[in-house]
Amino acid sequence: MSTKVPTSSFAAEDQFGQRVAARLSAGNQELPHDIGERLRVARAQAVAMRKQAPQLRTASAVMQSGNVAAMGGGWWTRIGSVVPLIALVAGLITISVMQDEDRASELAEVDSALLTGDLPPAAYTDPGFAQFLKSDGASD
C-alpha cells in the first residue's frame, strides 16, 4: 500500500495553467501575426500579475476611553452620526404639526357650514331627517 503525497494547491494551479497555455499556444500558429502578438503580451501581463503577492491593507483604529473609533473619530464623527437622527425627528414633528393643522381647518369648515346653513344643527341629529335624505336622494 503506497501513500501518495498530495500536491499543494499552488502546484496544481501551476500545472493547470501550463496545460491551458500549451492548448492556447497550439492554435496560435493559425492566427494572424498582430493577434498572436496581442495574445502573447496579454499572457505575459497575466503571468506578471499572478507572480505578484497580494498586498494586505489594514485600517487604523484609535482607542478613545475604551471605545473604538475608526479613522480617528472624535467629536466630528459623533456629530456627523447624530445630525441625521435630529433631522429625522424634526421632520416627523413637522409632519405631525401640519396634519394637526389640516384636521383643525377641515373641522372648522364643517362647523362653519353647519352653522351658516339653511337647516338648524338639531336637524342633522333627527333620525327622520336621515330617512328623508335617503328617500329624497332615491327620488331624484
Side-chain angles (χ1 to χ4, degrees), residues 13-27 43:
E13 287 178 11
D14 287 341
Q15 288 176 355
F16 176 73
Q18 289 173 356
R19 287 194 309 250
V20 170
R23 269 284 165 97
L24 291 173
S25 296
R43 265 187 256 135

Side-chain angles (χ1 to χ4, degrees), residues 77-91:
T77 304
R78 290 180 185 167
I79 290 172
S81 63
V82 171
V83 167
L85 180 63
I86 292 171
L88 177 67
V89 170

Side-chain angles (χ1 to χ4, degrees), residues 33-115:
H33 178 69
D34 61 332
I35 294 175
E37 284 300 308
R38 287 192 294 185
L39 288 174
R40 184 186 61 76
V41 169
R43 265 187 256 135
Q45 288 176 348
V47 169
M49 290 181 70
R50 170 72 171 107
K51 288 183 180 179
Q52 290 177 354
Q55 297 176 354
L56 298 176
R57 294 183 180 178
T58 59
S60 62
V62 177
M63 295 295 289
Q64 294 179 351
S65 68
N67 296 329
V68 176
M71 301 298 180
W75 288 104
W76 289 109
T77 304
R78 290 180 185 167
I79 290 172
S81 63
V82 171
V83 167
L85 180 63
I86 292 171
L88 177 67
V89 170
L92 290 173
I93 290 171
T94 302
I95 290 171
S96 175
V97 167
M98 289 176 62
Q99 285 181 344
D100 289 344
E101 288 176 2
D102 287 345
R103 273 191 228 114
S105 68
E106 288 174 1
L107 289 175
E109 286 179 26
V110 169
D111 287 346
S112 65
L114 282 175
L115 293 174

Side-chain angles (χ1 to χ4, degrees), residues 2-9 11 15:
S2 66
T3 57
K4 187 175 181 181
V5 177
T7 60
S8 69
S9 63
Q15 288 176 355

